[in-house]
Amino acid sequence: MIDINKIYNIDCNDGFVLLPDKSVNLIFTSPPYAEQRKFQYGGISEKDYPKWTVDWCNNVRDKLTDDGSICINIRPHLKNGQISDYVLKTRLALREAGWIECEELIWNKDVSY
């Protein structure tokens, strides 16, 4: 068991098993993007990314309260001049796994500052 309301610097897969079930209202995450920042994260292939995301989401499902949510900060990148479809495939894989996508938020920085 870990202390609630304390910040831990551990892998989420290791940390979530330490939390009681139904104890988390919100998971807000910015996971590694597929095939981006390989030198920092080791990288996840676009092909494997949807399953990887579904797996970690399913691993934390029991930790969420009945009205709990996951907010995933992720965006596609250009690949050979075309927008990559791994984010779309990930969204569809999460739906297929029973997750409900209810919002898509896009924040635009005001460049007039």
Side-chain angles (χ1 to χ4, degrees), residues 8 10 15-17 35 37 39 42-43 53 56 62-63 70 73 83 86 95 102 109-110:
Y8 291 85
I10 57 178
F16 274 112
V17 298
E35 299 179 5
R37 299 177 184 93
F39 66 96
T53 302
W56 73 256
D62 291 339
K63 304 306 176 179
I70 297 178
N73 176 27
I83 194 166
Y86 83 95
R95 288 180 188 182
C102 61
K109 182 175 86 174
D110 183 355

Side-chain angles (χ1 to χ4, degrees), residues 47-105:
K47 177 182 165 283
D48 295 334
Y49 202 90
K51 181 184 180 316
W52 177 81
T53 302
V54 168
D55 286 349
W56 73 256
C57 283
N58 285 340
N59 286 341
V60 301
R61 185 185 295 265
D62 291 339
K63 304 306 176 179
L64 291 170
T65 58
D66 290 337
D67 61 348
S69 299
I70 297 178
C71 180
I72 302 173
N73 176 27
I74 185 174
R75 62 184 290 262
H77 56 270
L78 292 180
K79 186 174 184 177
N80 301 321
Q82 181 173 326
I83 194 166
S84 174
D85 63 359
Y86 83 95
V87 173
L88 173 61
K89 289 179 179 179
T90 299
R91 292 167 75 173
L92 295 172
L94 285 165
R95 288 180 188 182
E96 183 69 26
W99 291 89
I100 299 168
E101 181 179 15
C102 61
E103 292 286 338
E104 179 178 359
L105 302 173

